[in-house]
Amino acid sequence: MTDPLIRLTGIQKYYGDYHALRGIDLDIAEGEFFSLLGPSGCGKTTLLRTIAGFEGVDAGAVTIGGADMTRVPPNRRPTNMVFQSYAIFPHLSVAQNVAFGLRKRADLNAQARETLVADALDMVGLDGYGGRAAHALSGGQRQRVALARALVLRPKVLLLDEPLSALDKKMREQMQVELIRLQRQVGITFILVTHDQEEALVMSDRIAVMFEGEVAQIAEAEALYRRPVDRRVAEFIGVMNFLPAAVSGDRVEVAGLGALALNELQSTARTDGDTVAGFRPETATLLFDGQTAPDREAHGTVAEVVYYGDMTYYDVRLDDAAQPVRISMRNVFGRPVLDIGAPARLAWSPGAVTLFR
């Protein structure tokens, strides 16, 4: 097995009495697009800054490329960071902004600098923009300039601190695709900090979900979404319905769904302590006239309808369940949208259900 490019071992960080990072152990492979995901204040940006060297650690070690970087200053680490604010110099041109990090490279003449800057601008789709004033750029263009300025130094690791948060939804989605393309093109390790679950799922090879200074789960995007290790991760990643459940021997009774065998559930099922059953909105479907359930069927009443164009989201109050469940349905031409108060039949499968403590 290849050694990781980055290895964090037992990272502890305090700010006075506040315990910001609590024994973080983490390996990141060379060429990986890795995301640190979590709510505000969970420690993800602090962890990114410890990799960059902007924050010291109170215990533990940071290793990059097999070398101990724990006490090495940021300018001597093979990393570069793109900040949330971009930190573009408005009085400089685009090319001058990109070349800023090269100003102390005595081994480069003017022509070599121009070539590196042109290559970096071409990477981010800004070929021909070098002479433009930085203050006249759009938000998406400023973000690309910040990326080019980081990439021109050819770091082993590019650190991205919520770089898309200032963009509107459409531009953010476009830049997500651009960052994926760019990372594949340059082949270096990207580490992204984000609180946006969808952004992390779309862009990452693997994701570390953090809460209160600890890593709760590390997994590939699909595994994280389909097989969360606990309820806290399940609630944070997307939407999940929860129903009270009672376990007795090898059987479980789920409110609104009825009785089923434990061995029918997902392999991550937990049967100790207080238990709830969880399933994703897209793993169940509403049945319309003439349709039959391929597996199990439950009954209830439509409590809310939210139309999103390509999708309709239904809140359905199942018989014998106190709280409604969310069901997402892709809209199909000619199929009616159910009204609030209409009776609902729900097709579901035990294989999509997980038990959580």
Side-chain angles (χ1 to χ4, degrees), residues 146 173 219 227 273 296 323:
E173 291 173 349
R227 296 183 294 279
R296 309 291 178 89
Q323 297 296 322

Side-chain angles (χ1 to χ4, degrees), residues 103-157:
R103 67 195 188 282
K104 293 185 178 180
R105 287 281 301 274
D107 58 318
L108 297 175
N109 58 31
Q111 182 60 47
R113 285 190 177 87
E114 289 179 9
T115 299
L116 288 173
V117 169
D119 288 346
L121 288 173
D122 184 56
M123 284 182 195
V124 299
L126 289 180
D127 185 27
Y129 279 70
R132 294 204 182 185
H135 66 80
L137 298 176
S138 68
Q141 289 169 339
R142 288 197 298 272
Q143 199 260 6
R144 292 168 190 260
V145 172
L147 285 169
R149 186 172 59 188
L151 290 169
V152 77
L153 299 174
R154 307 291 173 90
K156 287 185 178 180
V157 184

Side-chain angles (χ1 to χ4, degrees), residues 48-112:
L48 191 77
R49 290 174 63 84
T50 64
I51 297 172
F54 295 123
E55 296 284 353
V57 298
D58 295 298
V62 178
T63 302
I64 303 177
D68 186 354
M69 294 283 165
T70 311
R71 308 301 173 196
V72 176
N75 64 314
R76 293 178 55 198
R77 297 192 185 196
T79 62
N80 211 337
M81 182 177 282
V82 177
F83 295 94
Q84 185 174 353
S85 64
Y86 308 150
I88 300 299
F89 302 115
H91 61 288
L92 300 181
S93 69
V94 168
Q96 289 170 332
N97 267 280
V98 176
F100 189 80
L102 300 173
R103 67 195 188 282
K104 293 185 178 180
R105 287 281 301 274
D107 58 318
L108 297 175
N109 58 31
Q111 182 60 47

Side-chain angles (χ1 to χ4, degrees), residues 200-218:
L201 291 172
V202 167
M203 299 173 67
S204 312
D205 295 317
R206 286 191 306 146
I207 302 167
V209 181
M210 295 183 64
F211 298 104
E212 298 175 351
E214 297 179 315
V215 174
Q217 184 174 359
I218 302 173

Side-chain angles (χ1 to χ4, degrees), residues 231-246:
R231 179 171 179 171
R232 186 169 55 170
V233 174
E235 288 180 312
F236 188 76
I237 303 295
V239 176
M240 181 166 275
N241 297 304
F242 295 101
L243 293 168

Side-chain angles (χ1 to χ4, degrees), residues 115-355:
T115 299
L116 288 173
V117 169
D119 288 346
L121 288 173
D122 184 56
M123 284 182 195
V124 299
L126 289 180
D127 185 27
Y129 279 70
R132 294 204 182 185
H135 66 80
L137 298 176
S138 68
Q141 289 169 339
R142 288 197 298 272
Q143 199 260 6
R144 292 168 190 260
V145 172
L147 285 169
R149 186 172 59 188
L151 290 169
V152 77
L153 299 174
R154 307 291 173 90
K156 287 185 178 180
V157 184
L158 186 64
L159 307 171
L160 303 156
D161 186 11
E162 304 210 43
L164 309 183
S165 61
L167 304 179
D168 61 61
K169 185 177 188 297
K170 188 172 183 180
M171 178 59 71
R172 188 164 63 246
E173 291 173 349
Q174 178 182 334
M175 288 307 303
Q176 288 170 6
V177 176
E178 288 296 314
L179 278 174
I180 295 169
R181 178 197 61 79
L182 180 61
Q183 194 268 341
R184 289 172 180 166
Q185 177 184 339
V186 300
I188 65 176
T189 302
F190 279 28
I191 304 178
L192 170 73
V193 159
T194 182
H195 64 273
D196 188 317
Q197 302 95 325
E198 183 178 292
E199 185 170 283
L201 291 172
V202 167
M203 299 173 67
S204 312
D205 295 317
R206 286 191 306 146
I207 302 167
V209 181
M210 295 183 64
F211 298 104
E212 298 175 351
E214 297 179 315
V215 174
Q217 184 174 359
I218 302 173
E220 295 178 357
E222 184 177 359
L224 190 68
Y225 184 80
R226 298 295 180 194
R227 296 183 294 279
V229 295
D230 58 34
R231 179 171 179 171
R232 186 169 55 170
V233 174
E235 288 180 312
F236 188 76
I237 303 295
V239 176
M240 181 166 275
N241 297 304
F242 295 101
L243 293 168
V247 177
S248 177
D250 61 355
R251 305 286 291 177
V252 57
E253 182 78 25
V254 181
L257 299 182
L260 56 155
L262 284 176
N263 61 13
E264 295 181 279
L265 305 180
Q266 285 202 46
S267 60
T268 54
R270 301 293 297 270
T271 59
D272 53 338
D274 295 333
T275 304
V276 294
F279 65 94
R280 298 289 187 188
E282 71 279 4
T283 62
T285 185
L286 290 177
L287 298 171
F288 293 84
D289 291 342
Q291 293 181 313
T292 57
D295 197 339
R296 309 291 178 89
E297 184 174 319
H299 299 86
T301 304
V302 176
E304 187 60 84
V305 181
V306 182
Y307 179 77
Y308 273 89
D310 61 331
M311 302 288 294
T312 297
Y313 294 90
Y314 293 93
D315 288 346
V316 176
R317 190 178 301 279
L318 297 175
D319 296 344
D320 302 320
Q323 297 296 322
V325 295
R326 171 64 56 91
I327 307 299
S328 60
M329 296 284 292
R330 186 163 295 282
N331 291 325
V332 177
F333 180 75
R335 187 172 68 192
V337 174
L338 296 179
D339 295 324
I340 295 174
R345 294 187 298 129
L346 183 68
W348 63 282
S349 171
V353 178
T354 301
L355 291 187

